[in-house]
């Protein structure tokens, strides 16, 4: 079949339109969903999963924890926690001497021990007046940060829980050295972000506890309108930032507070390692004091322990994030859009050109690649739009599937209904494939070169007169089943049955360059099937006096007009033209010539070398003025690439 420029252009245009449609819808929908945050829960899943997979990501360079753990409580078990100010003072003095950069006390208390003792109206003593003296001295020495909290009253009013005035007034910057320790989990109760600034009202302590410690460590003014840390600008405004966790709980260097009470504390290696660091004094092991939070490491995934993290350790991770500038950052929006568009384009290209099963396998592979890329970028502190990319692939697959079901598949079913009953399944599949690519048969009519085969049962009238009607139908059904199989094996099209005659065509509806050789191979196969069927006739109808069963076959190659012909009530795909008539006339000459297969010289030449022939002749056929050169076909010497063939 000729492939014209206009046919190719129409095919390319149709494919391009479908490709653009699937790409645009899939990419557009997922970009919009990503912008609107509709995929956040899926992105959060990957964000948390990569934390678990990565484990401890790096060493903390700027922060450490002095842990009020079980050893500390055991050592100080005789003193209520509310009266630990002297002990905190001792720890702070050791940290100062160890050259710690900043010390943050992550304990909330509303009153000092001295104030509480005065409320008891006890006789004054030197102890009641000087109990907190050491603690006050350490606060006044500077580089200390105390903690406060925001809380909401039953009436909805937001208030601040602050350290007692007699303590924060001793701080060099007073309330500017008090940070808010509130952590705000997301909708799934997991803490992934923090607020550098919680309150913007002038005169009130409003910086986050961790933010304030990082600012003190970098010697920046907390009252500034903006700050610069590790090349990043932090405006004095309420906005969320992601926490760059360095690892699961236990990843921050930790020293038990009890170790600071040792006489040789400054000589201990773990204490020496605190030099230059921001140190948080915070509870850790005691269940009665633990302020625990769900973090990305709390995501329950098979094979991973679900852990929680203390508030102090979360703040330590925030300090490390601020001072290193290693925030998990979204890819620039244009890059994210380009990745989603690329996923849509690649998916559409594959899904539209491959069957759904291959497409599904490709989509799965592409989704896994997206997840792998997401993890690799996560290790570099970039957040890949994994969910958007994977849902883009899924949506592209569903769209192409819908196109097939609503448009292409309807056409496929129509073609299978039209041709499936008289061509082999592989021919139907090939026809559907070519039809989908714009190269298949034009059902509205086209010229094509084919080889037409006609066969007829000799002496059929005599045979039918000696059989009942039921026996004739039984005989024909059995016969057609046997002789049509070689035709289908050679990918021929059994176009119609005309009484006892069979009309078949090769090279239509699916064009084959070797259609003539296929037709000859099929004809030889039909003779073999006829010889086998002759034995069936002799066994099925003995003593009926039937003539010897045989057939005649005519073959001719030439140009025909093919198309879907008929009325609205009954249509069929067929071919018409002189080639069809000539093949029918040649079949009619088999008995006169005494040949079982009569083929035109045109068919013989088109079949190529290796065809075994008998006699040759020039004959007149009805409807043609010129003689037709014909030959007797006896067999084929070589098998070639088509079906079976052999000498007859």
């Amino acid at each position: 079949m000729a492939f014209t420029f206009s046919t190719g252009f129409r095919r390319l245009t149709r494919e391009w339109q479908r490709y653009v449609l699937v790409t645009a819808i899939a990419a557009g929908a997922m970009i919009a969903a990503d912008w609107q945050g509709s995929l956040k829960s899926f992105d959060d899943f990957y964000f948390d999963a990569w934390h678990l997979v990565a484990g401890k990501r790096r060493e903390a360079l700027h922060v450490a924890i002095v842990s009020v753990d079980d050893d500390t409580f055991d050592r100080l078990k005789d003193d209520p926690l509310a009266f630990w100010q002297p002990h905190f003072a001792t720890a702070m003095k050791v940290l100062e001497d160890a050259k710690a950069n900043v010390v943050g006390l992550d304990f909330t208390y509303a009153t000092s021990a001295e104030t509480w003792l005065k409320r008891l109206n006890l006789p004054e003593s030197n102890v009641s007046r000087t109990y907190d003296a050491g603690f006050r001295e350490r606060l006044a020495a500077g580089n200390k940060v105390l903690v406060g909290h925001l809380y909401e009253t039953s009436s909805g009013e937001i208030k601040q829980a602050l350290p007692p005035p007699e303590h924060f007034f001793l701080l060099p910057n007073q309330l500017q050295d008090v940070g808010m320790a509130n952590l705000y989990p997301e909708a799934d109760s997991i803490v992934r972000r923090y607020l550098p600034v919680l309150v913007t009202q002038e005169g009130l302590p409003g910086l986050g506890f961790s933010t304030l410690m990082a600012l003190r460590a970098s010697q920046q003014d907390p009252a500034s309108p903006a700050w610069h840390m590790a090349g990043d600008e932090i405006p004095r405004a309420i906005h969320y930032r992601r926490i760059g966790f360095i690892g699961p709980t236990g990843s921050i260097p930790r020293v038990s507070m009890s170790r600071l009470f040792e006489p040789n504390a400054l000589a201990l290696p773990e204490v020496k390692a605190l030099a230059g660091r921001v140190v948080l004094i915070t509870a850790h092991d005691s269940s009665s004091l633990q302020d625990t939070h769900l973090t990305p490491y709390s995501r329950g995934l098979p094979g991973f322990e679900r852990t929680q993290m203390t508030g102090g350790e979360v703040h330590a991770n925030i300090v490390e994030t601020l001072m290193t500038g290693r925030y998990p950052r979204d890819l620039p929006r244009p890059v994210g859009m380009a990745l989603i568009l690329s996923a849509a384009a690649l998916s559409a290209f594959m899904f539209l050109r491959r069957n759904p099963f291959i497409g599904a396998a490709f989509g799965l592979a592409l989704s896994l690649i997206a997840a792998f890329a997401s993890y690799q970028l996560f290790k570099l502190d970039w957040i890949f739009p994994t969910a958007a990319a994977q849902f883009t692939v899924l949506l592209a697959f569903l769209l192409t599937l819908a196109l097939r079901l609503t448009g292409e598949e309807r056409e496929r079913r129509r073609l299978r209904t039209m041709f499936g009953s008289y061509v082999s399944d592989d021919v139907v599949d090939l026809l559907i494939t070519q039809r989908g690519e714009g190269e298949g048969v034009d059902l509205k009519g086209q010229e094509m070169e084919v080889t037409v085969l006609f066969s007829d049962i000799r002496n059929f009238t005599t045979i039918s007169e000696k059989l009942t009607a039921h026996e004739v139908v039984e005989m024909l059904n059995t016969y057609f089943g046997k002789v049509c199989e070689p035709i289908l094996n050679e990918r021929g099209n059994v176009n119609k049955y005309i009484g006892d005659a069979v009309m078949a065509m090769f090279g239509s509806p699916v064009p084959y360059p070797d259609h003539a050789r296929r037709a000859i191979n099929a004809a030889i196969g039909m003779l073999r099937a006829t010889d086998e069927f002759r034995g069936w006739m002799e066994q099925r109808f003995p003593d009926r006096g039937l003539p010897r069963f045989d057939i005649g076959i005519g073959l001719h190659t030439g140009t025909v007009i093919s198309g879907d012909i008929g009325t609205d009530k009954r249509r069929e795909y067929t071919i018409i033209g002189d080639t069809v008539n000539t093949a029918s006339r040649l079949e009619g000459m088999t008995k006169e010539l005494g040949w079982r297969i009569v083929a035109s010289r045109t068919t013989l030449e088109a079949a190529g070398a290796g065809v075994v022939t008998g006699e040759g002749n020039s004959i007149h056929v009805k409807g043609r003025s010129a003689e037709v050169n014909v030959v007797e076909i006896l067999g084929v010497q070589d098998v070639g690439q088509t079906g079976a063939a052999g000498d007859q």
Side-chain angles (χ1 to χ4, degrees):
M1 176 181 60
F3 182 79
T4 64
F5 174 79
S6 60
T7 301
F9 182 76
R10 287 195 303 271
R11 176 177 67 85
L12 290 175
T13 300
R14 182 167 60 252
E15 289 184 353
W16 174 253
Q17 290 174 344
R18 296 166 66 195
Y19 174 75
V20 171
L21 178 66
V22 172
T23 301
I25 294 178
M30 289 304 106
I31 289 174
D34 191 43
W35 285 3
Q36 294 175 359
S38 303
L39 304 177
K40 187 179 184 307
S41 60
F42 299 99
D43 288 326
D44 288 343
F45 170 82
Y46 280 110
F47 185 73
D48 299 344
W50 298 154
H51 279 83
L52 289 168
V53 173
K56 185 176 179 179
R57 303 172 60 197
R58 53 185 175 268
E59 296 294 334
L61 302 177
H62 303 280
V63 70
I65 288 175
V66 167
S67 176
V68 179
D69 54 11
D70 289 338
D71 289 342
T72 306
F73 275 95
D74 184 62
R75 184 168 187 142
L76 305 178
K77 59 180 180 294
D78 294 331
D79 296 330
L81 182 61
F83 292 87
W84 275 24
Q85 282 83 357
H87 305 308
F88 288 137
T90 300
M92 289 178 176
K93 183 62 171 68
V94 172
L95 293 174
E96 289 176 14
D97 294 340
K99 306 301 182 184
N101 195 339
V102 173
V103 177
L105 182 60
D106 187 24
F107 281 90
T108 303
Y109 55 98
T111 186
S112 67
E114 294 174 355
T115 301
W116 186 80
L117 289 171
K118 288 179 181 179
R119 290 176 182 171
L120 296 179
N121 294 321
L122 297 175
E124 286 194 14
S125 66
N126 186 55
V127 174
S128 65
R129 290 192 299 269
T130 63
Y131 188 83
D132 288 344
F135 185 66
R136 293 197 300 268
E137 184 179 352
R138 300 276 59 82
L139 297 181
N143 284 342
K144 307 298 185 304
V145 175
L146 298 182
V147 70
H149 282 85
L150 296 178
Y151 67 96
E152 184 177 356
T153 66
S154 58
S155 62
E157 183 181 0
I158 303 298
K159 289 189 174 183
Q160 291 181 315
L162 301 175
E166 56 268 30
H167 286 169
F168 70 69
F169 277 138
L170 293 170
L171 295 168
N173 299 284
Q174 298 187 0
L175 286 177
Q176 296 302 318
D177 283 333
V178 177
M180 299 295 104
N182 299 69
L183 294 172
Y184 295 96
E186 299 184 17
D188 56 2
S189 301
I190 293 178
V191 176
R192 301 183 184 90
R193 304 181 298 169
Y194 73 99
L195 286 171
V197 179
L198 285 74
V199 178
T200 57
Q201 185 176 347
E202 187 175 353
L204 293 179
L207 300 188
F209 181 50
S210 46
T211 306
L212 187 55
M213 288 187 289
L215 290 176
R216 289 302 182 204
S218 58
Q219 298 181 350
Q220 298 191 57
D221 183 5
S224 297
W227 308 279
H228 292 84
M229 285 188 172
D232 191 43
E233 183 179 58
I234 304 173
R236 189 185 187 88
I238 297 176
H239 65 289
Y240 281 101
R241 289 176 169 243
R242 288 192 181 93
I243 304 172
F245 290 97
I246 68 168
T249 185
S251 298
I252 302 291
R254 188 183 309 274
V255 178
S256 172
M257 183 171 152
S258 63
R259 299 288 282 167
L260 302 184
F261 302 142
E262 300 291 340
N264 63 337
L266 292 174
L268 298 175
E270 61 267 36
V271 176
K272 289 182 177 181
L274 300 177
R277 291 178 180 263
V278 174
V279 179
L280 281 79
I281 302 176
T282 183
H284 178 64
D285 291 336
S286 177
S287 59
S288 62
L289 290 179
Q290 275 194 5
D291 172 26
T292 58
H293 300 268
L294 298 177
T295 68
Y297 301 98
S298 306
R299 172 76 68 171
L301 292 180
F304 294 95
E305 182 182 1
R306 185 174 184 177
T307 61
Q308 297 187 25
M309 190 174 288
T310 63
E313 193 165 9
V314 174
H315 284 293
N317 275 279
I318 297 173
V319 171
E320 188 71 19
T321 303
L322 284 161
M323 299 190 71
T324 60
R326 296 197 63 172
Y327 294 90
R329 305 171 189 268
D330 292 316
L331 288 174
R333 179 158 287 182
V335 176
M337 291 175 58
L339 289 171
I340 294 173
L341 184 61
S342 298
L346 185 58
S347 300
F349 177 79
M350 290 298 297
F351 295 157
L352 289 170
R353 297 179 66 89
R354 296 292 184 267
N355 68 58
F357 295 104
I358 295 178
F362 172 81
L364 177 60
L366 191 59
S367 296
L368 293 176
I369 291 172
F372 178 77
S374 173
Y375 177 64
Q376 297 303 317
L377 286 171
F378 168 80
K379 292 193 293 185
L380 300 175
D381 298 311
W382 289 106
I383 298 178
F384 182 86
T386 317
Q390 292 182 335
F391 276 107
T392 296
V393 174
L394 176 61
L395 182 56
F397 178 76
L398 295 176
L399 288 171
T400 55
L401 196 61
L403 284 176
R404 293 175 186 273
L405 292 175
T406 58
E408 180 179 325
E409 287 302 318
R410 282 204 303 266
E411 180 68 3
R412 284 173 175 260
R413 287 194 296 271
R414 188 170 76 90
L415 291 175
R416 191 173 292 278
T417 300
M418 180 176 295
F419 296 108
S421 59
Y422 40 82
V423 298
S424 62
D425 290 340
D426 56 345
V427 172
V428 174
D429 293 336
L430 183 57
L431 175 65
I432 290 172
T433 300
Q434 292 187 349
R435 180 72 172 173
E437 296 176 353
E439 299 177 355
V441 60
D442 184 355
L443 300 180
K444 295 182 179 179
Q446 64 183 146
E447 284 190 358
M448 52 197 316
E449 184 178 282
V450 301
T451 297
V452 182
L453 179 152
F454 272 90
S455 73
D456 198 2
I457 299 175
R458 293 179 177 175
N459 302 310
F460 176 72
T461 302
T462 303
I463 294 174
S464 61
E465 288 176 349
K466 295 184 178 183
L467 300 176
T468 66
H470 290 294
E471 290 172 336
V472 171
V473 171
E474 178 189 358
M475 178 196 71
L476 287 177
N477 286 338
T478 306
Y479 163 72
F480 286 144
K482 291 184 177 294
V483 297
C484 288
E485 186 173 347
I487 298 174
L488 300 180
N489 289 341
E490 292 295 334
R491 295 190 174 182
N493 177 356
V494 180
N495 185 248
K496 62 185 65 177
Y497 303 108
I498 309 169
D500 62 308
V502 175
M503 173 186 169
M505 47 193 174
F506 297 81
S508 174
V510 177
Y512 294 106
D514 58 343
H515 53 80
R517 196 174 190 88
R518 290 178 180 274
I520 291 176
N521 286 335
I524 294 171
M526 292 174 70
L527 294 185
R528 290 174 178 163
T530 298
D531 293 340
E532 294 177 2
F533 183 72
R534 185 181 301 118
W536 182 87
M537 287 287 291
E538 292 172 355
Q539 291 182 358
R540 176 66 179 85
F541 305 112
D543 304 326
R544 296 289 187 97
L546 300 178
R548 185 176 184 273
F549 189 90
D550 206 353
I551 64 172
I553 300 173
L555 299 169
H556 183 52
T557 300
T559 302
V560 298
I561 298 174
S562 66
D564 191 22
I565 299 173
T567 67
D568 292 339
K569 293 184 178 180
R570 190 179 189 282
R571 305 177 70 86
E572 67 174 357
Y573 176 81
T574 190
I575 56 175
I576 57 176
D578 179 67
T579 299
V580 180
N581 297 332
T582 300
S584 177
R585 299 291 187 267
L586 295 184
E587 182 278 319
M589 296 295 294
T590 56
K591 190 171 184 180
E592 181 179 332
L593 293 171
W595 304 345
R596 299 182 81 187
I597 301 176
V598 176
S600 66
R601 181 70 62 175
T602 305
T603 299
L604 179 65
E605 293 173 353
V611 180
V612 181
T613 61
E615 301 178 31
N617 208 337
S618 295
I619 60 174
H620 286 283
V621 296
K622 185 178 180 181
R624 292 185 65 131
S625 58
E627 292 184 339
V628 178
N629 291 325
V630 296
V631 293
E632 178 185 12
I633 303 296
L634 300 178
V636 177
Q637 290 181 337
D638 62 325
V639 175
Q641 296 180 350
T642 57
D647 295 337
Q648 177 65 29

